[in-house]
Amino acid sequence: MRFYLALAAAAPRERAPIPRHVTAAARILADLALPVPEASLRHRAWTSPDGTAALLCWTNEPEHPDLPEPLTDLAGAARAATPGGTGGVLGHTGYLADPGDLEALRTTTGIGPLLDRTGGAFGVFRALPHGFDAVTSISRTDPVYHGEGGGLHVAANRALLAHLVLRAAENGEGAPLPPAPVYDVPPMQALVRHGFYITDDTPFAGIRALGERAALEVRDGKAQVISRDLPTPEPARPGRRRRARTVDELADALVAAVEPVRRHPEGVSLSLTGGRDSRVIAAALHAAGIGFRATTRGVDDHPDVVLARRICAALGVGDHRVLRPRIPPEQAADPAFVLAEHPRPRTLRLLRMTEGMNSAFEDVIAPHAFVPEARLSGSGGEALRGGWLKDQADLSHPALIDRLRTITLAQSPMMTPEAEADGEALFESFRTAYADDPALALDHLYLRYRTGRWLTGSRTATLCGYRYYHPFLDHRVLGAVHRLSPRWRWSEELVLRLLERLAPPLARMPVADHPWRFDHRRVLNPLHRRARRRRPVLRAASTVGGFDWRRRPGPDYVAPMRERILDTPELFRLVDRAATERILTQDPTPRPGQVWNLYTIALLLSGEWLASRGAAPDEGRIGVPIR
């Protein structure tokens, strides 16, 4: 993965360059803030002739002809692209669907509008003689975090790095390194409720996430954010001809989104399940004529494994690898228990990767080295099903407002009055902004926060270890999806029509866990009834196959989490202590998600995660009863 830090003097008219101790501190602090081994990093940097702007980059990617250079020189670019003189550099995170688009980005005067014609999943940083640009795509899963302090503007794709560099600038030359982070506790009420932010806050004071389709432009010491609106969706389900044309256009966009993996002669691995999203990606690869191997996690009778095998057979995929859960020898003697990793090393590892912006409930990998191997997944496919509408049964206006309230004010009984007031303010802001169309609110908020904030952590982890492609996060694909009515996408008809267009046999297969939403409708046509019967739902046939120990941790597992939570006084600015104690002492705990979330915040605020540069300590495993 490529990590960027852009700096610009906040008062260049005084011709004061970026202090040398700040750039020197940045190089030291990167070793602390970046979630990959220090020895794996290569460093590049550019500084403007007068020293008032700089772009620093670190990468754990090897030098390879198919990998982009961390920084691309702007020399020779159109003079208009670099106001005040020629020169500068550009870098991007993620990937461009067409590497040739890098030349257009190198020479354009306005990066934002050009990106809307660019495929891929990416973020862009460009340094110029008198400032810098930092730009997000529609998903913003390649994030930009920004702030101002110590006479500097800063932007980076790691929030901790941006924060610590600003702290070093504010503390001045000679101050000890690393500076202690200053945590912004009140906005963490969203982390308690959801395990991720539904705002643009970060855990670090003075640092915020840049919104979707936005550009932070710093010129001559002044910063401005230029945002481009999300696409305006069609008001309703399109007519028959328009539907067919829409499906064709989106299918073509998905085929184009998987095209970059054709550049990998060694082949590509798809994470395949029994659900809808990875099935669509498999269909797109099939339609593009790109062979792949598939990997599925689970026990043999789990629907993910059963259906993935059928998908591979239908598409002629000969290499399908099933990764079964590793069962420690001591667990085999007592199959009534799952031996789960102790919560502390699991949480420290997650904090290093996600900077405290995800809960340790999530399974996030922590690669030790970068492997230039192409991988894909169906992450982000919920957009095709209406975002937060996808599991909403009632689309009436009052029901949608209630759902919006439920999201913003989740877990209200355990929150403090101050945290509840923050949640109420969020609800009112969203309700007012989308008063005429709460369905659009649930769609947009899912894109901005569930995709743009929650999914960022796992995407970062995959990019640290592999050449990972996310076709559903492709800038052009997401733009096309969000031009369609969220109410039509909610019906899931779009997903089925895409499968019929890309790989018809996959449309006729069963799906995992729950039926197609449109199959809930009363069907009068006998042909349609027969088709529905051919689309049964597969569910886990055994307790082990369907057991998720994270959702049902036993008292022995909760015990160390309870101790740490109750010993962290800052948490009780967010949650009521008595209500929290009740949740922590009940078995089974009624709010396992909040136990995970509170424990994650407790370890974040402790600072222990900053000291865990190497592998997290092995504290053994704890038995969780299967129930």
Side-chain angles (χ1 to χ4, degrees):
M1 182 172 175
R2 298 176 295 283
F3 305 95
Y4 292 95
L5 174 70
L7 300 168
R13 283 179 294 183
E14 301 173 6
R15 314 317 301 165
I18 299 166
R20 289 186 179 180
H21 79 270
V22 173
T23 52
R27 293 183 174 91
I28 295 171
L29 295 170
D31 295 337
L32 174 69
L34 302 185
V36 296
E38 177 184 350
S40 69
L41 290 169
R42 295 185 290 131
H43 175 61
R44 298 287 185 273
W46 176 89
T47 303
S48 65
D50 63 0
T52 60
L55 182 60
L56 289 72
C57 176
W58 297 261
T59 180
N60 70 333
E61 298 172 353
E63 294 184 90
H64 191 281
D66 290 336
L67 289 168
E69 285 296 316
L71 295 177
T72 298
D73 195 351
L74 296 182
R79 183 174 294 271
T82 55
T86 58
V89 290
L90 177 142
H92 69 86
T93 59
Y95 63 93
L96 302 175
D98 181 357
D101 287 337
L102 184 62
E103 178 63 20
L105 292 174
R106 193 173 72 87
T107 58
T108 186
T109 56
I111 288 182
L114 174 63
L115 287 186
D116 290 339
R117 304 189 298 274
T118 303
F122 48 75
V124 177
F125 291 83
R126 181 173 68 169
L128 306 169
H130 298 306
F132 66 77
D133 300 319
V135 189
T136 57
S137 69
I138 190 171
S139 76
R140 67 167 173 169
T141 47
D142 286 70
V144 171
Y145 302 107
H146 63 102
E148 180 182 356
L152 294 175
H153 295 287
V154 62
N157 59 338
R158 293 293 288 179
L160 175 63
L161 181 59
H163 176 71
L164 293 181
V165 168
L166 283 188
R167 294 275 292 139
E170 291 165 346
N171 291 346
E173 188 172 6
L177 294 175
V182 178
Y183 295 106
D184 192 4
V185 174
M188 293 182 188
Q189 58 91 14
L191 295 178
V192 176
R193 299 179 197 266
H194 304 288
F196 60 95
Y197 283 99
I198 57 169
T199 65
D200 291 336
D201 296 290
T202 74
F204 312 108
I207 301 297
R208 291 181 62 79
L210 189 64
E212 74 286 345
R213 297 186 79 208
L216 171 67
E217 291 189 355
V218 178
R219 297 289 187 275
D220 295 321
K222 296 181 180 180
Q224 65 171 335
V225 173
I226 302 172
S227 298
R228 303 181 313 287
D229 291 337
L230 289 173
T232 301
E234 297 176 350
R237 181 176 186 248
R240 182 171 58 85
R241 290 184 179 178
R242 173 64 184 142
R243 281 202 309 276
R245 190 162 61 250
T246 293
V247 170
D248 286 345
E249 291 170 354
L250 188 52
D252 290 343
L254 281 167
V255 169
V258 301
E259 189 63 30
V261 305
R262 197 187 298 276
R263 299 194 289 264
H264 295 270
E266 75 282 4
V268 59
S269 176
L270 171 65
S271 178
L272 184 62
T273 70
R276 284 101 163 129
D277 302 335
S278 62
R279 186 180 303 195
V280 172
I281 301 303
L285 289 166
H286 175 74
I290 299 173
F292 63 93
R293 60 184 176 274
T295 301
T296 306
R297 296 180 181 273
V299 295
D300 286 342
D301 67 346
H302 194 278
D304 282 344
V305 176
V306 173
L307 290 171
R309 284 183 175 136
R310 292 183 61 175
I311 291 168
C312 289
L315 299 183
V317 176
D319 189 351
H320 178 214
R321 305 171 188 181
V322 177
L323 304 180
R324 296 169 180 82
R326 186 180 70 86
I327 301 177
E330 58 270 32
Q331 181 177 325
D334 190 353
F337 284 80
V338 168
L339 287 177
E341 181 185 22
H342 191 285
R344 183 171 176 270
R346 174 188 176 92
T347 303
L348 292 176
R349 188 169 58 247
L350 174 128
L351 288 170
R352 289 283 309 158
M353 185 60 65
T354 71
E355 305 183 295
M357 288 182 266
N358 286 96
S359 167
F361 173 86
E362 309 297 343
D363 290 321
V364 174
I365 64 173
H368 297 296
F370 184 87
V371 179
E373 175 183 296
R375 297 190 177 190
L376 296 94
S377 80
S379 293
E382 298 86 355
L384 270 65
R385 293 178 275 131
W388 259 317
L389 288 177
K390 63 184 174 64
D391 52 2
Q392 178 75 15
D394 183 355
L395 296 192
S396 68
H397 193 282
L400 294 175
I401 292 295
D402 285 346
R403 179 66 187 282
L404 187 60
R405 179 185 291 276
T406 298
I407 290 171
T408 51
L409 293 168
Q411 316 304 331
S412 287
M414 67 181 298
M415 308 303 290
T416 62
E418 295 79 9
E420 194 65 2
D422 288 344
E424 286 281 1
L426 271 179
F427 167 69
E428 284 300 325
S429 68
F430 296 151
R431 185 182 65 82
T432 302
Y434 292 92
D436 296 332
D437 193 352
L440 189 60
L442 294 172
D443 187 35
H444 281 183
L445 296 184
Y446 194 98
L447 172 67
R448 286 179 178 141
Y449 304 119
R450 181 71 175 181
T451 300
R453 302 305 310 274
W454 174 75
L455 195 55
T456 296
S458 61
R459 174 162 165 79
T460 296
T462 57
L463 291 179
C464 284
Y466 307 98
R467 297 190 67 179
Y468 220 98
Y469 297 87
H470 290 102
F472 285 130
L473 302 180
D474 180 276
H475 190 63
R476 288 185 298 203
V477 168
L478 264 183
V481 167
H482 282 273
R483 292 186 187 95
L484 306 177
S485 165
R487 291 174 181 266
W488 180 46
R489 285 183 273 132
W490 166 84
S491 74
E492 297 189 327
E493 179 188 1
L494 174 63
V495 179
L496 183 71
R497 301 300 172 223
L498 284 170
L499 289 172
E500 290 174 339
R501 165 72 159 70
L502 295 167
L506 304 192
R508 296 188 288 271
M509 285 186 184
V511 289
D513 298 331
H514 59 272
W516 293 100
R517 182 168 292 281
F518 54 78
D519 275 344
H520 289 295
R521 299 176 302 192
R522 184 183 180 194
V523 178
L524 300 179
N525 187 314
L527 293 177
H528 292 175
R529 285 203 300 270
R530 193 176 308 143
R532 180 165 65 183
R533 286 195 295 271
R534 289 199 301 265
R535 296 190 293 262
V537 178
L538 292 190
R539 294 184 173 88
S542 68
T543 305
V544 174
F547 179 68
D548 185 347
W549 65 268
R550 301 169 304 165
R551 298 184 187 277
R552 285 176 277 181
D556 292 342
Y557 199 90
V558 171
M561 302 170 81
R562 177 175 61 245
E563 181 179 355
R564 177 57 69 99
I565 289 168
L566 296 179
D567 284 346
T568 306
E570 297 95 331
L571 291 178
F572 302 108
R573 297 171 59 186
L574 305 171
V575 292
D576 177 78
R577 186 180 186 98
T580 302
E581 289 178 345
R582 285 194 297 272
I583 290 168
L584 291 169
T585 54
Q586 294 181 57
D587 180 38
T589 177
R591 301 183 190 276
Q594 280 55 59
V595 174
W596 280 108
N597 300 349
L598 288 168
Y599 182 71
T600 304
I601 298 171
L603 279 187
L604 170 73
L605 297 175
S606 76
E608 293 175 31
W609 62 290
L610 294 172
S612 60
R613 281 292 297 156
D618 184 359
E619 300 190 30
R621 292 178 175 268
I622 300 174
V624 178
I626 296 175
R627 51 185 176 176

